Amino acid sequence: MDQYTIKEIENLFDSDSKNGLSEKEAKKRLLRDGENSITSKKRKSILIVFFEQLKDPMVLILLIGAVLSLLLLEILDAFIICFVVVLNALIGTFQYVKSEKALEALQAMMQPTCKVIRNSKVRIIQTNELVCGDLIEFEAGDRIPCDIRLTSTTRLMMDESILTGESQSVSKTEFYRSTNEKTISEKHNMVFMSTYVSSGRGKGIAVNCGMNTEMGKIAALLNDDHEDLTPLQRRMNELSKILGFMAILICLIMMGVNISKGKNILETVLLAISLAVAAIPEGLVAVVTIVQSLGVNMMSKNHAIVRKLSAVETLGSVNII
């Protein structure tokens, strides 16, 4: 939207940079487009999130190992394996809950009311009643209610650190117009939802509302539950399959050899189970979980939220966020 002139924005949104929309038109657009708000998916219960952490193939193999250890009356081994599994699930659940709180924080950043011009008169309305095409006024101390293309400014300075991480205030002007695609910090003729007016005043036309705003895109990423596996997860899954196949194969071979030699069937089965338990690297999951937890802790100290523990592995080559 920063590439359009003010006149082109007026035509695009059928709006007026002096008089704003009519009340009738605003209500029609609100019914058509929905409220200007950050939405989230229905939250999963903590119990469901906890059990979802147990779907990993390596974890399933560990659980099988714990059951086999109990059958062999190896109580300590079974306890250690279960402890590792529960620890892994608890850490994953904690990270999920933490990301949900981050989404709630985004919703809380929206200012409850804002000033709009409708029917040529300034009105104070609920922020969620804003629609694209509304003409909005704001001044020092206000939070921006949606993404806005500026139409007039008076020494306007914006704090956009919530989006860009840049601590210094940015100067904004309606006269700027970009000629190609720009980053958020380079769009000097636009202001964005939840950013803060540090000084001056301005006026502009709403061009993006709700989940279509830059802040809404961040919320959508937090809402996203895509199941793409990281490279480490893929390798761990392959290792789990290989270990499982090899353990079963070795057990069958040992059972066949011992039975062919006429040895006791019960002792043969117990020996095979012992070999299967020994083949399961219960310490591997613990080591991977601890290393990933350390990575998550480092990220949290730098105010970066990691929703899934496994995602930390993909940041291995990142220097700056």
Side-chain angles (χ1 to χ4, degrees), residues 152-182:
S152 68
T153 59
T154 304
R155 295 187 295 277
L156 181 62
M157 300 290 290
M158 297 295 303
D159 178 354
E160 296 183 333
S161 58
I162 189 174
L163 285 176
T164 65
E166 180 59 56
S167 59
Q168 293 184 337
S169 294
V170 182
S171 176
K172 299 285 184 174
T173 174
E174 73 273 25
F175 300 112
Y176 176 84
R177 185 184 171 199
S178 62
T179 54
N180 48 39
E181 191 66 29
K182 298 286 185 180

PDB file of all heavy atoms in Angstrom, residues 152-182:
ATOM      1  N   SER A 152      -2.083  12.784   6.225  1.00  0.00           N
ATOM      2  CA  SER A 152      -1.515  14.039   6.727  1.00  0.00           C
ATOM      3  C   SER A 152      -0.778  13.764   8.035  1.00  0.00           C
ATOM      4  O   SER A 152      -1.183  12.893   8.805  1.00  0.00           O
ATOM      5  CB  SER A 152      -2.599  15.089   6.944  1.00  0.00           C
ATOM      6  OG  SER A 152      -3.446  14.728   8.013  1.00  0.00           O
ATOM      7  N   THR A 153       0.314  14.505   8.265  1.00  0.00           N
ATOM      8  CA  THR A 153       1.109  14.321   9.482  1.00  0.00           C
ATOM      9  C   THR A 153       1.630  15.662   9.988  1.00  0.00           C
ATOM     10  O   THR A 153       1.763  16.624   9.210  1.00  0.00           O
ATOM     11  CB  THR A 153       2.328  13.406   9.219  1.00  0.00           C
ATOM     12  OG1 THR A 153       3.149  14.001   8.196  1.00  0.00           O
ATOM     13  CG2 THR A 153       1.901  12.013   8.802  1.00  0.00           C
ATOM     14  N   THR A 154       1.900  15.707  11.287  1.00  0.00           N
ATOM     15  CA  THR A 154       2.542  16.868  11.909  1.00  0.00           C
ATOM     16  C   THR A 154       3.652  16.354  12.827  1.00  0.00           C
ATOM     17  O   THR A 154       3.389  15.858  13.914  1.00  0.00           O
ATOM     18  CB  THR A 154       1.531  17.688  12.732  1.00  0.00           C
ATOM     19  OG1 THR A 154       0.430  18.069  11.899  1.00  0.00           O
ATOM     20  CG2 THR A 154       2.201  18.949  13.300  1.00  0.00           C
ATOM     21  N   ARG A 155       4.880  16.417  12.319  1.00  0.00           N
ATOM     22  CA  ARG A 155       6.065  15.960  13.065  1.00  0.00           C
ATOM     23  C   ARG A 155       5.813  14.582  13.718  1.00  0.00           C
ATOM     24  O   ARG A 155       6.092  14.376  14.896  1.00  0.00           O
ATOM     25  CB  ARG A 155       6.466  16.983  14.123  1.00  0.00           C
ATOM     26  CG  ARG A 155       6.930  18.308  13.528  1.00  0.00           C
ATOM     27  CD  ARG A 155       7.474  19.235  14.592  1.00  0.00           C
ATOM     28  NE  ARG A 155       6.446  19.652  15.533  1.00  0.00           N
ATOM     29  CZ  ARG A 155       5.588  20.653  15.327  1.00  0.00           C
ATOM     30  NH1 ARG A 155       5.631  21.335  14.182  1.00  0.00           N
ATOM     31  NH2 ARG A 155       4.685  20.967  16.222  1.00  0.00           N
ATOM     32  N   LEU A 156       5.308  13.665  12.930  1.00  0.00           N
ATOM     33  CA  LEU A 156       4.931  12.344  13.445  1.00  0.00           C
ATOM     34  C   LEU A 156       6.154  11.441  13.600  1.00  0.00           C
ATOM     35  O   LEU A 156       6.918  11.222  12.657  1.00  0.00           O
ATOM     36  CB  LEU A 156       3.920  11.683  12.502  1.00  0.00           C
ATOM     37  CG  LEU A 156       3.409  10.293  12.913  1.00  0.00           C
ATOM     38  CD1 LEU A 156       2.672  10.357  14.241  1.00  0.00           C
ATOM     39  CD2 LEU A 156       2.501   9.714  11.814  1.00  0.00           C
ATOM     40  N   MET A 157       6.328  10.905  14.809  1.00  0.00           N
ATOM     41  CA  MET A 157       7.391   9.952  15.116  1.00  0.00           C
ATOM     42  C   MET A 157       6.749   8.699  15.715  1.00  0.00           C
ATOM     43  O   MET A 157       5.912   8.793  16.611  1.00  0.00           O
ATOM     44  CB  MET A 157       8.406  10.539  16.095  1.00  0.00           C
ATOM     45  CG  MET A 157       9.109  11.791  15.600  1.00  0.00           C
ATOM     46  SD  MET A 157      10.268  11.458  14.242  1.00  0.00           S
ATOM     47  CE  MET A 157      11.553  10.555  15.096  1.00  0.00           C
ATOM     48  N   MET A 158       7.171   7.530  15.213  1.00  0.00           N
ATOM     49  CA  MET A 158       6.563   6.275  15.642  1.00  0.00           C
ATOM     50  C   MET A 158       7.589   5.340  16.279  1.00  0.00           C
ATOM     51  O   MET A 158       8.723   5.233  15.813  1.00  0.00           O
ATOM     52  CB  MET A 158       5.937   5.558  14.432  1.00  0.00           C
ATOM     53  CG  MET A 158       4.799   6.295  13.759  1.00  0.00           C
ATOM     54  SD  MET A 158       3.354   6.478  14.832  1.00  0.00           S
ATOM     55  CE  MET A 158       3.017   4.773  15.242  1.00  0.00           C
ATOM     56  N   ASP A 159       7.152   4.655  17.323  1.00  0.00           N
ATOM     57  CA  ASP A 159       7.944   3.587  17.936  1.00  0.00           C
ATOM     58  C   ASP A 159       7.444   2.264  17.351  1.00  0.00           C
ATOM     59  O   ASP A 159       6.362   1.797  17.692  1.00  0.00           O
ATOM     60  CB  ASP A 159       7.768   3.611  19.458  1.00  0.00           C
ATOM     61  CG  ASP A 159       8.534   2.487  20.154  1.00  0.00           C
ATOM     62  OD1 ASP A 159       9.105   1.639  19.452  1.00  0.00           O
ATOM     63  OD2 ASP A 159       8.546   2.458  21.396  1.00  0.00           O
ATOM     64  N   GLU A 160       8.230   1.674  16.446  1.00  0.00           N
ATOM     65  CA  GLU A 160       7.841   0.438  15.764  1.00  0.00           C
ATOM     66  C   GLU A 160       8.641  -0.771  16.257  1.00  0.00           C
ATOM     67  O   GLU A 160       8.715  -1.791  15.582  1.00  0.00           O
ATOM     68  CB  GLU A 160       8.030   0.590  14.256  1.00  0.00           C
ATOM     69  CG  GLU A 160       7.126   1.641  13.642  1.00  0.00           C
ATOM     70  CD  GLU A 160       7.273   1.728  12.130  1.00  0.00           C
ATOM     71  OE1 GLU A 160       8.362   1.400  11.614  1.00  0.00           O
ATOM     72  OE2 GLU A 160       6.289   2.131  11.473  1.00  0.00           O
ATOM     73  N   SER A 161       9.214  -0.645  17.457  1.00  0.00           N
ATOM     74  CA  SER A 161      10.089  -1.699  17.975  1.00  0.00           C
ATOM     75  C   SER A 161       9.376  -3.039  18.101  1.00  0.00           C
ATOM     76  O   SER A 161       9.996  -4.097  17.988  1.00  0.00           O
ATOM     77  CB  SER A 161      10.676  -1.289  19.320  1.00  0.00           C
ATOM     78  OG  SER A 161       9.654  -1.008  20.260  1.00  0.00           O
ATOM     79  N   ILE A 162       8.062  -3.020  18.338  1.00  0.00           N
ATOM     80  CA  ILE A 162       7.314  -4.264  18.487  1.00  0.00           C
ATOM     81  C   ILE A 162       7.340  -5.099  17.205  1.00  0.00           C
ATOM     82  O   ILE A 162       7.261  -6.325  17.242  1.00  0.00           O
ATOM     83  CB  ILE A 162       5.850  -3.962  18.910  1.00  0.00           C
ATOM     84  CG1 ILE A 162       5.142  -5.254  19.285  1.00  0.00           C
ATOM     85  CG2 ILE A 162       5.092  -3.251  17.807  1.00  0.00           C
ATOM     86  CD1 ILE A 162       3.761  -5.037  19.841  1.00  0.00           C
ATOM     87  N   LEU A 163       7.495  -4.423  16.052  1.00  0.00           N
ATOM     88  CA  LEU A 163       7.520  -5.123  14.773  1.00  0.00           C
ATOM     89  C   LEU A 163       8.934  -5.283  14.211  1.00  0.00           C
ATOM     90  O   LEU A 163       9.273  -6.309  13.632  1.00  0.00           O
ATOM     91  CB  LEU A 163       6.668  -4.371  13.737  1.00  0.00           C
ATOM     92  CG  LEU A 163       5.149  -4.481  13.865  1.00  0.00           C
ATOM     93  CD1 LEU A 163       4.477  -3.604  12.829  1.00  0.00           C
ATOM     94  CD2 LEU A 163       4.689  -5.922  13.699  1.00  0.00           C
ATOM     95  N   THR A 164       9.750  -4.234  14.372  1.00  0.00           N
ATOM     96  CA  THR A 164      11.062  -4.215  13.724  1.00  0.00           C
ATOM     97  C   THR A 164      12.220  -4.478  14.671  1.00  0.00           C
ATOM     98  O   THR A 164      13.315  -4.809  14.231  1.00  0.00           O
ATOM     99  CB  THR A 164      11.293  -2.863  13.040  1.00  0.00           C
ATOM    100  OG1 THR A 164      11.346  -1.834  14.048  1.00  0.00           O
ATOM    101  CG2 THR A 164      10.172  -2.546  12.063  1.00  0.00           C
ATOM    102  N   GLY A 165      11.994  -4.287  15.989  1.00  0.00           N
ATOM    103  CA  GLY A 165      13.083  -4.423  16.945  1.00  0.00           C
ATOM    104  C   GLY A 165      13.951  -3.193  17.028  1.00  0.00           C
ATOM    105  O   GLY A 165      14.880  -3.126  17.831  1.00  0.00           O
ATOM    106  N   GLU A 166      13.648  -2.180  16.213  1.00  0.00           N
ATOM    107  CA  GLU A 166      14.427  -0.946  16.200  1.00  0.00           C
ATOM    108  C   GLU A 166      13.998  -0.049  17.360  1.00  0.00           C
ATOM    109  O   GLU A 166      12.836   0.317  17.462  1.00  0.00           O
ATOM    110  CB  GLU A 166      14.224  -0.206  14.865  1.00  0.00           C
ATOM    111  CG  GLU A 166      14.980   1.089  14.728  1.00  0.00           C
ATOM    112  CD  GLU A 166      16.473   0.897  14.871  1.00  0.00           C
ATOM    113  OE1 GLU A 166      17.044   0.085  14.115  1.00  0.00           O
ATOM    114  OE2 GLU A 166      17.067   1.540  15.760  1.00  0.00           O
ATOM    115  N   SER A 167      14.938   0.281  18.242  1.00  0.00           N
ATOM    116  CA  SER A 167      14.591   1.019  19.458  1.00  0.00           C
ATOM    117  C   SER A 167      14.342   2.500  19.217  1.00  0.00           C
ATOM    118  O   SER A 167      13.615   3.146  19.969  1.00  0.00           O
ATOM    119  CB  SER A 167      15.709   0.863  20.501  1.00  0.00           C
ATOM    120  OG  SER A 167      16.935   1.342  19.988  1.00  0.00           O
ATOM    121  N   GLN A 168      14.925   3.053  18.161  1.00  0.00           N
ATOM    122  CA  GLN A 168      14.759   4.485  17.896  1.00  0.00           C
ATOM    123  C   GLN A 168      13.456   4.752  17.153  1.00  0.00           C
ATOM    124  O   GLN A 168      13.033   3.958  16.305  1.00  0.00           O
ATOM    125  CB  GLN A 168      15.931   5.019  17.084  1.00  0.00           C
ATOM    126  CG  GLN A 168      17.258   4.998  17.851  1.00  0.00           C
ATOM    127  CD  GLN A 168      18.385   5.621  17.046  1.00  0.00           C
ATOM    128  OE1 GLN A 168      18.330   5.681  15.828  1.00  0.00           O
ATOM    129  NE2 GLN A 168      19.405   6.096  17.741  1.00  0.00           N
ATOM    130  N   SER A 169      12.833   5.896  17.477  1.00  0.00           N
ATOM    131  CA  SER A 169      11.584   6.269  16.811  1.00  0.00           C
ATOM    132  C   SER A 169      11.848   6.592  15.337  1.00  0.00           C
ATOM    133  O   SER A 169      12.928   7.043  14.959  1.00  0.00           O
ATOM    134  CB  SER A 169      10.968   7.484  17.502  1.00  0.00           C
ATOM    135  OG  SER A 169      10.566   7.159  18.815  1.00  0.00           O
ATOM    136  N   VAL A 170      10.831   6.332  14.515  1.00  0.00           N
ATOM    137  CA  VAL A 170      10.946   6.517  13.061  1.00  0.00           C
ATOM    138  C   VAL A 170      10.049   7.672  12.624  1.00  0.00           C
ATOM    139  O   VAL A 170       8.899   7.780  13.047  1.00  0.00           O
ATOM    140  CB  VAL A 170      10.529   5.226  12.322  1.00  0.00           C
ATOM    141  CG1 VAL A 170      10.691   5.386  10.821  1.00  0.00           C
ATOM    142  CG2 VAL A 170      11.325   4.045  12.830  1.00  0.00           C
ATOM    143  N   SER A 171      10.601   8.531  11.776  1.00  0.00           N
ATOM    144  CA  SER A 171       9.828   9.662  11.242  1.00  0.00           C
ATOM    145  C   SER A 171       8.894   9.181  10.140  1.00  0.00           C
ATOM    146  O   SER A 171       9.273   8.361   9.294  1.00  0.00           O
ATOM    147  CB  SER A 171      10.784  10.731  10.695  1.00  0.00           C
ATOM    148  OG  SER A 171      10.051  11.776  10.091  1.00  0.00           O
ATOM    149  N   LYS A 172       7.657   9.689  10.144  1.00  0.00           N
ATOM    150  CA  LYS A 172       6.666   9.309   9.140  1.00  0.00           C
ATOM    151  C   LYS A 172       6.124  10.549   8.426  1.00  0.00           C
ATOM    152  O   LYS A 172       5.975  11.613   9.039  1.00  0.00           O
ATOM    153  CB  LYS A 172       5.493   8.565   9.796  1.00  0.00           C
ATOM    154  CG  LYS A 172       5.888   7.267  10.498  1.00  0.00           C
ATOM    155  CD  LYS A 172       6.171   6.163   9.506  1.00  0.00           C
ATOM    156  CE  LYS A 172       6.472   4.844  10.208  1.00  0.00           C
ATOM    157  NZ  LYS A 172       6.602   3.725   9.264  1.00  0.00           N
ATOM    158  N   THR A 173       5.831  10.393   7.142  1.00  0.00           N
ATOM    159  CA  THR A 173       5.273  11.505   6.374  1.00  0.00           C
ATOM    160  C   THR A 173       4.371  10.970   5.269  1.00  0.00           C
ATOM    161  O   THR A 173       4.651   9.908   4.682  1.00  0.00           O
ATOM    162  CB  THR A 173       6.376  12.375   5.757  1.00  0.00           C
ATOM    163  OG1 THR A 173       5.792  13.363   4.905  1.00  0.00           O
ATOM    164  CG2 THR A 173       7.368  11.547   4.943  1.00  0.00           C
ATOM    165  N   GLU A 174       3.325  11.695   4.980  1.00  0.00           N
ATOM    166  CA  GLU A 174       2.385  11.273   3.937  1.00  0.00           C
ATOM    167  C   GLU A 174       2.949  11.459   2.536  1.00  0.00           C
ATOM    168  O   GLU A 174       2.435  10.900   1.556  1.00  0.00           O
ATOM    169  CB  GLU A 174       1.058  12.028   4.069  1.00  0.00           C
ATOM    170  CG  GLU A 174       1.091  13.491   3.639  1.00  0.00           C
ATOM    171  CD  GLU A 174       1.514  14.424   4.772  1.00  0.00           C
ATOM    172  OE1 GLU A 174       2.207  13.958   5.690  1.00  0.00           O
ATOM    173  OE2 GLU A 174       1.148  15.617   4.711  1.00  0.00           O
ATOM    174  N   PHE A 175       4.017  12.250   2.401  1.00  0.00           N
ATOM    175  CA  PHE A 175       4.554  12.574   1.080  1.00  0.00           C
ATOM    176  C   PHE A 175       5.472  11.489   0.521  1.00  0.00           C
ATOM    177  O   PHE A 175       5.753  11.463  -0.668  1.00  0.00           O
ATOM    178  CB  PHE A 175       5.323  13.906   1.138  1.00  0.00           C
ATOM    179  CG  PHE A 175       4.468  15.061   1.576  1.00  0.00           C
ATOM    180  CD1 PHE A 175       4.695  15.678   2.796  1.00  0.00           C
ATOM    181  CD2 PHE A 175       3.425  15.515   0.786  1.00  0.00           C
ATOM    182  CE1 PHE A 175       3.903  16.740   3.218  1.00  0.00           C
ATOM    183  CE2 PHE A 175       2.623  16.573   1.200  1.00  0.00           C
ATOM    184  CZ  PHE A 175       2.862  17.183   2.417  1.00  0.00           C
ATOM    185  N   TYR A 176       5.939  10.601   1.394  1.00  0.00           N
ATOM    186  CA  TYR A 176       6.831   9.542   0.933  1.00  0.00           C
ATOM    187  C   TYR A 176       6.049   8.538   0.090  1.00  0.00           C
ATOM    188  O   TYR A 176       4.894   8.232   0.373  1.00  0.00           O
ATOM    189  CB  TYR A 176       7.457   8.810   2.134  1.00  0.00           C
ATOM    190  CG  TYR A 176       8.324   7.640   1.767  1.00  0.00           C
ATOM    191  CD1 TYR A 176       9.656   7.820   1.415  1.00  0.00           C
ATOM    192  CD2 TYR A 176       7.798   6.345   1.754  1.00  0.00           C
ATOM    193  CE1 TYR A 176      10.454   6.739   1.064  1.00  0.00           C
ATOM    194  CE2 TYR A 176       8.587   5.259   1.403  1.00  0.00           C
ATOM    195  CZ  TYR A 176       9.912   5.467   1.061  1.00  0.00           C
ATOM    196  OH  TYR A 176      10.695   4.398   0.712  1.00  0.00           O
ATOM    197  N   ARG A 177       6.702   8.037  -0.948  1.00  0.00           N
ATOM    198  CA  ARG A 177       6.083   7.003  -1.773  1.00  0.00           C
ATOM    199  C   ARG A 177       7.174   6.107  -2.319  1.00  0.00           C
ATOM    200  O   ARG A 177       8.101   6.573  -2.977  1.00  0.00           O
ATOM    201  CB  ARG A 177       5.291   7.631  -2.922  1.00  0.00           C
ATOM    202  CG  ARG A 177       4.526   6.595  -3.760  1.00  0.00           C
ATOM    203  CD  ARG A 177       3.842   7.256  -4.931  1.00  0.00           C
ATOM    204  NE  ARG A 177       3.287   6.277  -5.848  1.00  0.00           N
ATOM    205  CZ  ARG A 177       2.951   6.540  -7.108  1.00  0.00           C
ATOM    206  NH1 ARG A 177       3.130   7.756  -7.591  1.00  0.00           N
ATOM    207  NH2 ARG A 177       2.447   5.601  -7.882  1.00  0.00           N
ATOM    208  N   SER A 178       7.081   4.817  -2.018  1.00  0.00           N
ATOM    209  CA  SER A 178       8.123   3.882  -2.464  1.00  0.00           C
ATOM    210  C   SER A 178       7.858   3.451  -3.898  1.00  0.00           C
ATOM    211  O   SER A 178       6.722   3.474  -4.380  1.00  0.00           O
ATOM    212  CB  SER A 178       8.162   2.657  -1.550  1.00  0.00           C
ATOM    213  OG  SER A 178       6.933   1.958  -1.600  1.00  0.00           O
ATOM    214  N   THR A 179       8.930   3.065  -4.574  1.00  0.00           N
ATOM    215  CA  THR A 179       8.813   2.644  -5.973  1.00  0.00           C
ATOM    216  C   THR A 179       8.909   1.131  -6.119  1.00  0.00           C
ATOM    217  O   THR A 179       8.684   0.594  -7.183  1.00  0.00           O
ATOM    218  CB  THR A 179       9.932   3.305  -6.803  1.00  0.00           C
ATOM    219  OG1 THR A 179      11.198   3.001  -6.196  1.00  0.00           O
ATOM    220  CG2 THR A 179       9.740   4.818  -6.858  1.00  0.00           C
ATOM    221  N   ASN A 180       9.274   0.436  -5.049  1.00  0.00           N
ATOM    222  CA  ASN A 180       9.334  -1.035  -5.091  1.00  0.00           C
ATOM    223  C   ASN A 180       9.001  -1.595  -3.709  1.00  0.00           C
ATOM    224  O   ASN A 180       8.726  -0.838  -2.782  1.00  0.00           O
ATOM    225  CB  ASN A 180      10.712  -1.520  -5.556  1.00  0.00           C
ATOM    226  CG  ASN A 180      11.842  -0.822  -4.808  1.00  0.00           C
ATOM    227  OD1 ASN A 180      11.733  -0.584  -3.610  1.00  0.00           O
ATOM    228  ND2 ASN A 180      12.913  -0.504  -5.509  1.00  0.00           N
ATOM    229  N   GLU A 181       9.037  -2.902  -3.588  1.00  0.00           N
ATOM    230  CA  GLU A 181       8.680  -3.560  -2.339  1.00  0.00           C
ATOM    231  C   GLU A 181       9.667  -3.197  -1.231  1.00  0.00           C
ATOM    232  O   GLU A 181      10.871  -3.283  -1.399  1.00  0.00           O
ATOM    233  CB  GLU A 181       8.667  -5.080  -2.533  1.00  0.00           C
ATOM    234  CG  GLU A 181       8.053  -5.845  -1.389  1.00  0.00           C
ATOM    235  CD  GLU A 181       6.564  -5.587  -1.220  1.00  0.00           C
ATOM    236  OE1 GLU A 181       5.899  -5.284  -2.222  1.00  0.00           O
ATOM    237  OE2 GLU A 181       6.086  -5.687  -0.076  1.00  0.00           O
ATOM    238  N   LYS A 182       9.134  -2.774  -0.088  1.00  0.00           N
ATOM    239  CA  LYS A 182       9.971  -2.349   1.032  1.00  0.00           C
ATOM    240  C   LYS A 182       9.673  -3.181   2.273  1.00  0.00           C
ATOM    241  O   LYS A 182       8.620  -3.790   2.398  1.00  0.00           O
ATOM    242  CB  LYS A 182       9.707  -0.867   1.364  1.00  0.00           C
ATOM    243  CG  LYS A 182      10.036   0.115   0.238  1.00  0.00           C
ATOM    244  CD  LYS A 182      11.529   0.293   0.070  1.00  0.00           C
ATOM    245  CE  LYS A 182      11.848   1.358  -0.957  1.00  0.00           C
ATOM    246  NZ  LYS A 182      13.301   1.542  -1.130  1.00  0.00           N
TER     247      LYS A 182
END
